[in-house]
């Protein structure tokens, strides 16, 4: 409790009120004068007050406010700062607004009728303001369970554990289960472990003993060289994290993973995506152009991960090209949306889409159109709102929209720092021109110069800006073979991961420093079991670089079957990455399978 010094005038005849998040004191000088003053506290420490409003009632004789009746200021309405209107209530059962800018009064409520037996003209106004809210009038079971000192201490401990170990503690007791499965804890875990917003990197390898994939922090390469047994034997494309989950795509199957907890759900794509409407089957012919191959597409598919903000479910959006002929500009594609436990839906986008995976942002997926197909020769951005299942088209900056058949430039969309960006790649100038869309307007964000950056040539690679390190301002670039940080000041790239060096070191059996540099570690994303308890976990876990890879019981998590190697390929094939770098988020997100309906016989 503290004492606050009142204004310099006499205190009797005043009342307190909150206006625009400030403590105010109302001074009624009637009937000696016709003035009502509203004083606002400037600083509770110094006790300084300032006169905010001075209302002269003589200017509003018609309102009947000069005669001796009780008038109370009960609050303010509006959301435009100083233009908020002050609400007054009178003992004559009227509610009046006062506009400080125009100095006018307006009656918004007048209750007519007889007075109650206990009500007189000198009775205080019985009017109050309220806000519509769904807040309960009592504490929920979750709040009760989390309010004890023991629960608070347990929460602080669990927030600092790796995701897979935090989930294992659900087996301790019912109270711990309630705590860990609560939305508030999952939100706190995400915020606590991602508060610095710095990119976190894992390397994706083949799972041990035929189990889908395994993951290891990139810093693990500083101490150990990966064995060829953990190398991928098929091409894998990884999405950026979306609400704690990542999508890992191969030519025949997609996997929804939480690399921190081991949650996995697999989705077969072959056959499901072969759906072609009968009325357009006749369009297909043998002269189908083979699409260009690069590190960010799988087969003839384009796959993305999104999140339905309405149903709070992840969705997989897949585009399968059945026909792509750049000479005739004819194309045939199927656009499919798959959500866990739901039937696959098919839609038709308004424009053909290029080979790059989509970008997700706030419930919407974005693609760059393919100007070499269809009727339009200009680039545009196609959007898909997951909740409403509707498409939209966004115009590109003029420098990106322009395209001609002789230009080798490429364009695609990315998300950087929570903003939709359009990237124009010019292989002649070796430049990436990045534009950002804010408040419906395109502005140039930055330009990346790659002429002197070995291994990042735009003529030989698709170079994708993945993220921006908010601490140092460097931009993470990924070619599929190299992962590096671009310094805009020095106009140079410092490698974080180099596949060519991995292959060279492994083949020559040199020391295990394989293209990952200790001075540019992005984050302390490596969890070590021995820091918390015995390495012998009660639940069996496959290993990767000697690092435990999360895997829990089948009731909570499932791991996919091993991916079959593509015929004729070896781990050293230049088109297959032995280890794929992936951005991820520390999260406890998981979405159990939907139970199938059972009918009684």
């Amino acid at each position: 409790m503290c004492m606050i010094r009142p204004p310099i005038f006499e205190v009797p005849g005043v009342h307190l009120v909150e206006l625009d998040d400030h403590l105010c004191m109302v001074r009624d000088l009637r009937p000696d004068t016709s003035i009502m003053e509203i004083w606002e506290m400037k600083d509770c420490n110094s006790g300084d007050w300032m006169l905010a409003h001075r209302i002269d009632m003589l200017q509003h004789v018609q309102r009947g406010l000069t005669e001796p009746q009780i008038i109370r200021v009960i609050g303010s309405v509006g959301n435009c700062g100083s233009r908020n209107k002050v609400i007054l209530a009178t003992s004559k059962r009227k509610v009046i607004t006062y506009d400080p800018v125009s100095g006018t009064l307006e009656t918004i409520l007048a209750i007519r009728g007889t007075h109650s037996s206990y009500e007189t003209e000198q009775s205080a106004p019985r009017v109050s303001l309220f806000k519509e809210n769904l807040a309960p009038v009592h504490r929920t079971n979750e709040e009760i369970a989390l309010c004890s000192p023991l629960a608070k201490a347990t929460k602080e401990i669990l927030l600092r554990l790796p995701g897979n170990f935090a989930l294992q503690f659900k087996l301790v007791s019912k109270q711990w289960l309630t705590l860990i499965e609560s939305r508030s804890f999952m939100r706190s875990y995400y915020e606590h472990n991602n508060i610095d917003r710095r990119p976190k990197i894992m390397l994706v390898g083949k799972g041990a003993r035929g189990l889908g994939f395994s993951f290891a922090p990139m810093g693990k390469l500083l101490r150990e060289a990966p064995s060829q047994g953990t190398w991928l034997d098929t091409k894998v494309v990884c999405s950026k994290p979306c609400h704690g989950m990542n999508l890992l795509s191969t030519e025949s199957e997609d996997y929804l993973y939480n690399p921190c907890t081991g949650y996995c759900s697999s989705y077969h794509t072959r056959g499901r995506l072969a759906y072609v409407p009968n009325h357009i089957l006749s369009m297909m012919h043998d002269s189908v152009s083979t699409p260009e191959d690069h590190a960010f597409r799988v087969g003839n598919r384009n796959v993305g991960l999104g999140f339905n903000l309405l149903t709070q479910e992840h969705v997989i959006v897949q585009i399968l090209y059945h026909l792509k002929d750049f000479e005739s500009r004819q194309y045939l594609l199927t656009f499919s949306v798959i959500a866990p436990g739901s039937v696959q839906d098919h839609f038709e986008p308004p424009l053909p889409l290029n080979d790059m995976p989509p970008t997700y942002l706030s419930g919407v997926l974005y693609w760059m159109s393919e100007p070499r197909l269809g009727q339009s020769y200009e680039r545009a951005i196609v959007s898909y709102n997951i909740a409403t299942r509707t498409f939209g088209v966004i115009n590109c900056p003029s420098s990106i929209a322009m395209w001609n058949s002789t230009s080798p430039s490429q364009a695609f969309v990315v998300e950087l720092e929570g903003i939709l960006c359009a990237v124009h790649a010019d292989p002649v100038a070796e430049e990436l021109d990045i534009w950002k869309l804010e408040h419906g307007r395109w502005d140039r964000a930055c330009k990346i110069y790659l002429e002197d950056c070995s291994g990042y040539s735009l003529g030989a690679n698709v170079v994708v800006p993945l993220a921006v390190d908010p601490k140092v301002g460097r931009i993470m670039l990924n070619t599929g073979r190299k992962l590096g940080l671009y310094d805009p000041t020095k106009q140079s790239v410092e490698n974080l991961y180099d596949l060519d060096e991995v292959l060279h070191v492994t083949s020559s059996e040199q020391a295990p420093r394989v293209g990952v540099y200790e001075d540019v570690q992005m984050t302390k994303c490596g969890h070590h079991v021995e820091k918390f308890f015995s390495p012998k976990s009660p639940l069996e876990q496959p290993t990767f670089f000697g690092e435990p890879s999360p895997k829990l019981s089948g009731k909570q998590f499932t791991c996919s079957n091993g991916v079959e190697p593509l015929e004729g390929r070896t781990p050293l094939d230049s088109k297959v990455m032995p280890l794929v770098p992936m951005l991820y988020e520390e999260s406890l997100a998981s979405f159990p399978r939907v139970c199938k309906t059972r009918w009684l016989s």
Side-chain angles (χ1 to χ4, degrees):
M1 181 179 296
C2 62
M3 302 294 292
I4 299 176
R5 187 177 64 187
I8 56 177
F9 50 76
E10 295 285 339
V11 174
V14 302
H15 62 272
L16 298 174
V17 67
E18 176 268 323
L19 297 176
D20 300 333
D21 297 325
H22 291 90
L23 177 64
C24 295
M25 182 176 289
V26 182
R27 185 187 186 193
D28 191 351
L29 301 178
R30 299 169 309 131
D32 298 333
T33 68
S34 60
I35 302 299
M36 176 176 284
E37 296 177 343
I38 301 178
W39 292 73
E40 178 184 303
M41 180 189 293
K42 296 173 58 179
D43 186 0
C44 61
N45 296 322
S46 63
D48 293 337
W49 295 76
M50 63 173 290
L51 181 61
H53 307 294
R54 185 180 177 90
I55 307 175
D56 187 356
M57 300 300 179
L58 276 178
Q59 299 180 15
H60 311 282
V61 178
Q62 70 277 12
R63 304 284 179 183
L65 301 178
T66 56
E67 56 189 72
Q69 59 176 303
I70 298 178
I71 301 178
R72 293 282 187 269
V73 176
I74 61 175
S76 61
V77 295
N79 54 5
C80 47
S82 61
R83 294 183 61 87
N84 285 2
K85 294 183 179 181
V86 179
I87 307 298
L88 300 90
T90 75
S91 56
K92 290 192 174 182
R93 295 179 293 177
K94 289 185 178 180
V95 179
I96 301 170
T97 62
Y98 169 72
D99 189 337
V101 177
S102 62
T104 58
L105 293 173
E106 178 184 0
T107 301
I108 60 174
L109 177 65
I111 304 176
R112 307 182 186 278
T114 58
H115 292 281
S116 302
S117 57
Y118 56 85
E119 195 173 22
T120 66
E121 289 192 359
Q122 298 302 317
S123 299
R126 299 178 180 273
V127 180
S128 64
L129 301 178
F130 78 98
K131 292 182 179 180
E132 292 188 355
N133 196 292
L134 298 179
V137 296
H138 59 82
R139 291 189 300 175
T140 63
N141 293 334
E142 178 180 319
E143 291 172 333
I144 295 174
L146 301 180
C147 68
S148 68
L150 178 59
K152 293 179 180 178
T154 303
K155 175 182 177 181
E156 292 301 317
I157 295 173
L158 293 175
L159 288 177
R160 290 159 175 80
L161 290 180
N164 58 316
F165 282 85
L167 290 184
Q168 290 186 38
F169 278 104
K170 294 196 297 185
L171 305 175
V172 172
S173 66
K174 185 176 180 180
Q175 289 75 16
W176 285 38
L177 174 65
T178 302
L179 168 64
I180 296 171
E181 289 188 343
S182 65
R183 289 190 177 183
S184 61
F185 176 78
M186 296 181 71
R187 182 170 56 251
S188 298
Y189 188 90
Y190 178 87
E191 293 173 352
H192 179 270
N193 289 278
N194 299 281
I195 191 171
D196 57 359
R197 296 178 56 242
R198 304 193 73 189
K200 301 174 187 288
I201 308 169
M202 274 193 181
L203 290 177
V204 180
K206 185 173 63 175
R209 295 184 296 278
L211 298 174
F213 299 97
S214 52
F215 308 88
M218 194 179 65
K220 194 73 172 177
L221 288 177
L222 293 171
R223 300 183 297 275
E224 302 178 22
S227 66
Q228 292 193 25
T230 60
W231 284 8
L232 297 168
D233 47 22
T234 187
K235 187 173 182 178
V236 176
V237 175
C238 302
S239 76
K240 292 182 69 170
C242 174
H243 287 257
M245 307 289 280
N246 290 83
L247 183 68
L248 278 66
S249 299
T250 67
E251 283 197 62
S252 60
E253 204 159 6
D254 296 319
Y255 304 84
L256 189 61
Y257 259 102
N258 182 334
C260 297
T261 64
Y263 172 86
C264 173
S265 184
S266 61
Y267 300 87
H268 294 279
T269 59
R270 185 168 296 169
R272 298 183 68 183
L273 282 179
Y275 168 82
V276 181
N278 291 328
H279 68 280
I280 55 178
L281 278 174
S282 58
M283 293 174 55
M284 301 178 63
H285 52 77
D286 296 332
S287 59
V288 178
S289 299
T290 302
E292 302 91 335
D293 189 26
H294 57 72
F296 304 102
R297 63 181 298 276
V298 284
N300 58 345
R301 297 194 305 121
N302 172 323
V303 190
L305 178 63
F307 191 77
N308 190 323
L309 298 177
L310 186 62
T311 63
Q312 294 292 294
E313 285 186 328
H314 285 86
V315 298
I316 298 174
V317 177
Q318 306 180 88
I319 299 167
L320 177 65
Y321 268 99
H322 304 277
L323 170 66
K324 184 185 289 188
D325 192 332
F326 295 132
E327 293 184 3
S328 65
R329 301 185 62 86
Q330 291 186 353
Y331 71 95
L332 176 62
L333 64 84
T334 51
F335 182 101
S336 306
V337 180
I338 304 172
S342 69
V343 179
Q344 176 176 310
D345 296 318
H346 300 278
F347 302 94
E348 185 176 351
L351 294 171
L353 309 177
N354 70 5
D355 290 334
M356 291 295 292
T359 291
Y360 171 82
L361 194 65
S362 302
V364 181
L365 286 164
Y366 301 90
W367 294 261
M368 184 67 71
S369 70
E370 177 55 82
R372 294 175 296 176
L373 298 173
Q375 298 180 356
S376 176
Y377 286 78
E378 291 188 354
R379 294 188 180 99
I381 295 175
V382 177
S383 65
Y384 176 72
N385 188 305
I386 299 172
T388 62
R389 301 183 177 186
T390 56
F391 288 101
V393 177
I394 303 172
N395 292 328
C396 290
S398 57
S399 62
I400 295 180
M402 293 184 298
W403 175 86
N404 61 73
S405 58
T406 61
S407 173
S409 64
Q410 297 179 337
F412 50 91
V413 290
V414 296
E415 173 270 323
L416 295 175
E417 298 184 296
I419 301 174
L420 178 65
C421 297
V423 181
H424 183 240
D426 186 348
V428 177
E430 292 288 358
E431 294 176 355
L432 289 178
D433 197 10
I434 304 178
W435 293 74
K436 61 181 180 180
L437 180 62
E438 289 187 293
H439 310 296
R441 172 182 172 182
W442 288 103
D443 294 302
R444 178 176 273 111
C446 66
K447 183 171 286 192
I448 297 177
Y449 302 92
L450 299 173
E451 184 176 3
D452 299 325
C453 301
S454 176
Y456 294 87
S457 170
L458 297 177
N461 306 281
V462 176
V463 182
V464 178
L466 278 184
V468 178
D469 187 345
K471 187 174 182 179
V472 295
R474 291 187 290 182
I475 304 171
M476 182 179 294
L477 302 178
N478 186 18
T479 70
R481 301 187 69 86
K482 291 179 182 289
L483 185 71
L485 289 176
Y486 176 80
D487 189 329
T489 303
K490 300 179 180 178
Q491 297 184 6
S492 62
V493 179
E494 190 166 14
N495 282 340
L496 293 173
Y497 170 71
D498 190 333
L499 172 62
D500 297 325
E501 292 192 25
V502 172
L503 299 176
H504 175 70
V505 169
T506 305
S507 61
S508 60
E509 297 183 356
Q510 296 178 6
R513 296 188 64 85
V514 286
V516 183
Y517 302 94
E518 193 166 8
D519 58 336
V520 292
Q521 283 300 298
M522 300 291 292
T523 180
K524 53 175 185 177
C525 56
H527 298 308
H528 300 285
V529 180
E530 60 271 21
K531 288 185 178 181
F532 303 104
F533 50 88
S534 170
K536 295 182 179 180
S537 171
L539 301 176
E540 184 181 11
Q541 299 178 349
T543 59
F544 178 45
F545 300 175
E547 180 87 0
S549 177
K551 176 180 177 293
L552 293 182
S553 62
K555 290 184 179 180
Q556 295 173 346
F557 301 100
T558 59
C559 283
S560 61
N561 295 327
V563 180
E564 294 295 332
L566 295 180
E567 184 179 356
R569 287 187 177 179
T570 68
L572 294 178
D573 194 313
S574 62
K575 295 182 180 180
V576 179
M577 312 304 161
L579 302 170
V580 177
M582 178 184 73
L583 294 184
Y584 76 103
E585 297 172 336
E586 298 273 0
S587 171
L588 301 180
S590 63
F591 294 88
R593 294 177 177 176
V594 177
C595 297
K596 295 182 179 180
T597 304
R598 294 185 177 182
W599 298 94
L600 296 177
S601 57

